[in-house]
Amino acid sequence: MAKLLHYPLDALSRSIRLALSECGVEVELVEEKPWEWRQEFLAINPAGNLPVLIADEHGPIVGAYAISEYLSDVMAGRDGNETPGFRLFPGDARSRAEARRLVDWFHRKFHDEVTAYLVEEKVFRRFGPQSSSPDMEAMRAGHENLRYHLSYIGHLAESRSWLAGDAMSFADLAAAAHLSTLDYLGEVPWEEHEAAKNWYALLKSRPSFRPLLQDRLAGFIPSGTYADLDF
Amino acid sequence: MAKLLHYPLDALSRSIRLALSECGVEVELVEEKPWEWRQEFLAINPAGNLPVLIADEHGPIVGAYAISEYLSDVMAGRDGNETPGFRLFPGDARSRAEARRLVDWFHRKFHDEVTAYLVEEKVFRRFGPQSSSPDMEAMRAGHENLRYHLSYIGHLAESRSWLAGDAMSFADLAAAAHLSTLDYLGEVPWEEHEAAKNWYALLKSRPSFRPLLQDRLAGFIPSGTYADLDF
């Protein structure tokens, strides 16, 4: 079986776990702590980022970008494997571009402005080599940015069926992956953002989401409603 | 004709200018200064990043990720337009994944570790709202990181025909785009990295590179060998 090197509270890893599940691809999860910079891991991926998919003996597929597009290629039958199923980037070239714009938005902009502050700052710092408390100024900026992003998600969810258009795409999975790590830590003010909450509730109730809701991290108890579908 | 909103010394813009030219797609270049955060530009792209392709009346295609994959889709005939020509991500799904790993390496890792320090710090700061001198500590880190990246490029170029494998891909264009902005500013110690230099010389002599070598930025004279094919 293919292996996915991941970290439970890493949003990019989570987006790929969701995509693999939606595509019906089973993988064995292998936990990698990104702050340890293990030599064995760096030999597989010198960039040190997660996730990494080890599908077969032909070497690893590295990073959420390469893995998501690889899944899209394989599911679209580029390798002669015409499987019906979830399309990460559905529709014509133009629709696919809109989904990719949003994946970039969440995996880069949302990551740098919110997830890096509120999750990595809080969790990775605690476990990292110089175990320390989170930087309060960074946490404050993260919370402020999160409100802007929740408004943007709400705006998209109100004007379209799914974030990128008529069909669920990898953009929905990427956005939900980031929010799920924040939700684990109880950082999402859902009550102020009803449209975003309704969209997230749809994602959260999908079978692909169930394993994420069962993740538990030593030292961090999930928020009371983290695994609750009726939050 | 399609328009590309770009900035001459923005590496991501340059990677797309190269890709469009290699694909034989002509565009009108429209300069956008990324540090100005113009309202009209943010109305087109709320994320504020470059480049943005305006191909037709159906709205913009935003960011190097969405544009490069859009070009790949269109060139591969996904929209019924079977054009022979440059493939941004050539080969099978696995080869394409390797090219994308490297695009991510350059557009994210190299960008954050080198280009952001040595180009954006130097140029955007000078023109930005609080015009100021570059942070010397950041410049020092950028120079140190650049040596590591040049060694990695040299390692790839010595073990393969092109950075990602047997054929030129968008990974080569992305890497060359970043190096070209550094080269404009005279920041690349080519003499210490012969394999990387030989690979860059191949790229630099392509017709797609010519317009980049003619770029001139007010206040910044290009290095003596910037436009020299025999540097």
Side-chain angles (χ1 to χ4, degrees):
Chain A
M1 194 191 294
K3 288 180 185 180
L4 186 75
L5 311 187
H6 82 121
Y7 181 70
L9 231 57
D10 173 56
L12 277 78
S13 297
R14 283 185 163 219
S15 73
I16 294 298
R17 287 167 68 191
L18 291 171
L20 288 163
S21 176
E22 292 288 346
C23 290
V25 179
E26 279 189 57
V27 293
E28 180 192 341
L29 294 176
V30 180
E31 186 173 323
E32 178 67 40
K33 295 180 174 68
W35 58 85
E36 287 188 348
W37 297 90
R38 288 191 314 121
Q39 284 307 315
E40 298 86 339
F41 177 58
L42 294 177
I44 296 169
N45 173 20
N49 60 318
L50 289 170
V52 174
L53 180 66
I54 301 181
D56 51 35
E57 71 283 7
H58 299 301
I61 302 174
V62 168
Y65 168 38
I67 299 172
S68 60
E69 295 287 346
Y70 174 80
L71 274 175
S72 172
D73 277 357
V74 173
M75 296 302 282
R78 277 185 180 265
D79 283 3
N81 173 22
E82 195 65 61
T83 323
F86 174 60
R87 291 280 178 271
L88 283 84
F89 306 102
D92 62 11
R94 185 55 78 109
S95 307
R96 291 159 64 84
E98 176 62 1
R100 286 168 173 138
R101 173 182 79 85
L102 289 171
V103 169
D104 204 31
W105 179 289
F106 291 105
H107 275 353
R108 185 182 295 253
K109 185 175 171 69
F110 189 103
H111 173 270
D112 292 352
E113 294 174 355
V114 182
T115 314
Y117 290 148
L118 297 183
V119 180
E120 296 175 7
E121 185 71 27
K122 203 164 166 178
V123 177
F124 294 16
R125 259 209 196 220
R126 166 137 163 208
F127 292 128
Q130 303 113 18
S131 176
S132 60
S133 299
D135 175 338
M136 284 303 141
E137 187 59 30
M139 297 287 289
R140 196 198 52 73
H143 286 127
E144 194 174 307
N145 296 337
L146 175 56
R147 287 190 160 74
Y148 160 73
H149 281 284
L150 285 167
S151 296
Y152 188 57
I153 290 169
H155 159 72
L156 292 172
E158 283 187 319
S159 48
R160 300 166 171 182
S161 307
W162 296 89
L163 294 190
D166 294 337
M168 188 177 81
S169 74
F170 188 54
D172 295 283
L173 305 185
H178 284 271
L179 283 169
S180 74
T181 62
L182 295 159
D183 197 37
Y184 184 101
L185 299 171
E187 298 286 2
V188 188
W190 291 118
E191 65 290 355
E192 299 168 27
H193 298 273
E194 199 178 335
K197 180 182 171 174
N198 292 340
W199 159 85
Y200 184 67
L202 276 182
L203 270 294
K204 196 175 173 178
S205 64
R206 296 182 72 84
S208 62
F209 231 86
R210 256 176 240 152
L212 276 62
L213 300 180
Q214 286 157 13
D215 281 349
R216 290 298 176 270
L217 200 64
F220 289 94
I221 298 167
S223 65
T225 56
Y226 173 67
D228 189 351
L229 296 185
D230 193 24
F231 57 112
Chain B
M1 194 191 288
K3 288 180 186 178
L4 186 75
L5 310 187
H6 83 121
Y7 182 69
L9 232 58
D10 173 56
L12 277 79
S13 297
R14 285 185 163 219
S15 73
I16 294 298
R17 288 167 68 191
L18 291 171
L20 287 163
S21 175
E22 292 288 345
C23 290
V25 179
E26 280 190 55
V27 292
E28 179 192 342
L29 294 177
V30 179
E31 186 174 323
E32 178 67 39
K33 294 179 173 69
W35 58 84
E36 287 189 346
W37 296 90
R38 290 191 313 120
Q39 284 306 313
E40 297 87 338
F41 177 58
L42 294 177
I44 295 169
N45 174 19
N49 61 317
L50 288 171
V52 175
L53 179 67
I54 301 182
D56 51 34
E57 70 284 6
H58 299 301
I61 302 173
V62 169
Y65 168 38
I67 299 172
S68 61
E69 293 288 347
Y70 174 80
L71 274 175
S72 171
D73 277 357
V74 172
M75 296 303 282
R78 279 187 178 262
D79 283 3
N81 174 21
E82 194 66 60
T83 323
F86 175 60
R87 291 279 178 275
L88 283 84
F89 306 103
D92 63 9
R94 186 53 78 109
S95 307
R96 292 159 63 85
E98 176 63 359
R100 286 168 173 139
R101 174 182 79 84
L102 289 171
V103 169
D104 205 33
W105 180 289
F106 292 106
H107 275 354
R108 186 182 294 252
K109 187 176 170 66
F110 188 102
H111 173 271
D112 291 354
E113 294 174 357
V114 182
T115 314
Y117 290 148
L118 298 184
V119 180
E120 297 176 5
E121 185 70 27
K122 204 164 166 178
V123 176
F124 295 16
R125 260 207 196 223
R126 167 138 162 206
F127 293 128
Q130 304 114 19
S131 176
S132 59
S133 298
D135 175 338
M136 284 303 142
E137 188 58 30
M139 298 286 289
R140 197 198 52 72
H143 285 129
E144 195 173 306
N145 296 338
L146 174 56
R147 288 191 159 75
Y148 160 72
H149 281 284
L150 284 167
S151 297
Y152 188 56
I153 289 169
H155 159 73
L156 292 172
E158 283 186 321
S159 48
R160 301 166 171 182
S161 307
W162 296 89
L163 294 190
D166 295 335
M168 187 178 80
S169 74
F170 188 54
D172 296 281
L173 305 185
H178 283 272
L179 283 169
S180 74
T181 63
L182 296 158
D183 196 36
Y184 184 101
L185 299 171
E187 298 286 4
V188 188
W190 290 119
E191 67 288 356
E192 299 169 26
H193 298 274
E194 196 178 339
K197 181 181 169 173
N198 292 339
W199 159 85
Y200 185 68
L202 275 182
L203 269 295
K204 196 174 175 180
S205 64
R206 297 182 72 85
S208 62
F209 231 87
R210 259 176 238 151
L212 276 62
L213 300 181
Q214 286 155 15
D215 281 349
R216 290 297 175 270
L217 200 65
F220 289 95
I221 297 167
S223 66
T225 56
Y226 173 65
D228 188 353
L229 296 184
D230 193 24
F231 57 111

